[in-house]
Amino acid sequence: MAKITYIENDGTEHSVEVRNGLSVMEGAIRNNVPGIDADCGGACACATCHVYVDEAFQDVTGRASAMEESMLDFAEGVQPNSRLSCQIRVSDDLDGLVVRLPESQH
């Protein structure tokens, strides 16, 4: 289990425990965190689970795959620390992860 903090664009924080093996997106959906739409259900076929990964965890979460990068082309406000939360698998190494949500997922 890892404690993950999701920070909405307005600054509202949601800290939740997420089981290992789930994606960061699934953790948000299962805990009713607003701001992650996940229209494709985690298939890396949209960009509605876009998050900004805290700098301290960028190495741990890894780099976006080519497919993920192509989907991020559809997201608004992409930054160097942008990731699709459906592509980040939760492990003990992610305990304390902070992700920020963009203003919009569309």
Side-chain angles (χ1 to χ4, degrees), residues 13-24:
E13 293 187 14
H14 305 270
S15 292
V16 299
E17 296 283 333
V18 181
R19 195 176 76 227
N20 289 353
L22 294 178
S23 69
V24 171

Side-chain angles (χ1 to χ4, degrees), residues 74-93:
F74 297 101
E76 294 179 21
V78 173
Q79 300 175 6
N81 62 334
S82 289
R83 290 292 308 273
L84 296 182
S85 59
C86 69
Q87 297 301 297
I88 303 171
R89 288 280 157 210
V90 175
S91 68
D92 290 340
D93 293 339

